[in-house]
Amino acid sequence: MDVILLERVEKLGGIGDVVTVKDGFARNFLLPNKKALRANAANRKVFESNRDRIVAENAARRDVAISESTKIDGVTLTLIRQSSNTGQLYGSVAVRDLVEALDADGHKVTKNAIVLNKPIKAIGVYDVKVALHPEVSVTIKVNIARSPEEAEMQASGVNVMEAMFEKDEAGFTEDYDPNAEPGATAEVAAVAEKTEGDAA
């Protein structure tokens, strides 16, 4: 389907461009969200007669987005969540959680502004894009941890999961010989190795 874009759409084009898109994309996204008009003679006339107003409105929205972006750019959100020992979250962090966290931090952002391709399912620090306008986007950091202390460690660049597994390895570990007889201790295996070495 050919459509006339009423605003810049990423990977498609800018205001006034006539582009060909899949019918479903046009019917389910572009047309209902007033991002485009069907490209026919009547709509082309309507668009051309209103082009200056559409461009001016877009510029005004862009200016508002730019002023908002200076407040949000680089913001770090810390979310405390429960997770398993491997760092997998019980549940996931979705767009709604980020909107609520930004709102609590004093930033009003709509759900469709947050670009999260898939929900976050593990602890760590993530970069999330916030598109305040088709031409204005910023990046926020989302720090997901099990405790405020862990969040501080992650914020300073420590990979909490790696650090935790290193700590486990430093603890008591029993020597294990995969070639030993079932039930044999590490000492028996060492003696067996020594006698084999002497025989050779």
Side-chain angles (χ1 to χ4, degrees):
M1 179 187 296
D2 287 348
V3 294
I4 305 166
L5 296 179
L6 297 178
E7 64 177 55
R8 183 178 171 275
V9 178
E10 206 169 336
K11 297 180 184 162
L12 270 186
I15 296 174
D17 290 353
V18 177
V19 293
T20 304
V21 295
K22 291 188 174 163
D23 290 2
F25 183 59
R27 276 197 300 267
N28 299 327
F29 179 71
L30 294 175
L31 299 174
N33 291 320
K34 303 205 180 347
K35 292 179 184 291
L37 293 171
R38 287 175 192 270
N40 56 34
N43 281 345
R44 280 198 178 101
K45 281 182 188 161
V46 168
F47 175 78
E48 286 306 327
S49 63
N50 291 319
R51 179 188 277 270
D52 293 341
R53 181 181 58 78
I54 291 168
V55 169
E57 284 174 2
N58 181 61
R61 284 198 311 272
R62 186 178 58 231
D63 292 343
V64 169
I66 288 169
S67 67
E68 273 296 306
S69 72
T70 56
K71 299 174 196 162
I72 296 175
D73 195 15
V75 163
T76 299
L77 298 177
T78 302
L79 301 175
I80 306 300
R81 294 284 190 269
Q82 291 184 329
S83 80
S84 68
N85 291 340
T86 59
Q88 293 299 309
L89 297 177
Y90 299 132
S92 61
V93 174
V95 170
R96 187 186 68 245
D97 302 309
L98 300 181
V99 169
E100 288 170 4
L102 279 167
D103 195 30
D105 205 28
H107 306 292
K108 288 272 183 220
V109 175
T110 59
K111 276 172 79 171
N112 59 357
I114 293 178
V115 182
L116 192 63
N117 297 331
K118 57 183 191 281
I120 299 169
K121 297 187 175 186
I123 64 172
V125 179
Y126 299 87
D127 288 334
V128 176
K129 182 176 163 188
V130 180
L132 299 169
H133 180 271
E135 297 166 39
V136 181
S137 62
V138 294
T139 303
I140 61 171
K141 284 202 178 306
V142 180
N143 185 347
I144 299 166
R146 291 175 289 196
S147 67
E149 295 78 25
E150 220 174 60
E152 280 178 33
M153 286 171 64
Q154 286 184 161
S156 65
V158 175
N159 184 327
V160 174
M161 293 317 296
E162 278 180 18
M164 190 172 77
F165 286 121
E166 281 170 18
K167 204 189 311 171
D168 286 353
E169 284 164 19
F172 173 76
T173 53
E174 187 177 345
D175 284 339
Y176 170 70
D177 180 5
N179 302 322
E181 292 293 318
T185 61
E187 291 84 34
V188 173
V191 170
E193 270 180 33
K194 188 173 189 293
T195 54
E196 280 174 22
D198 291 346

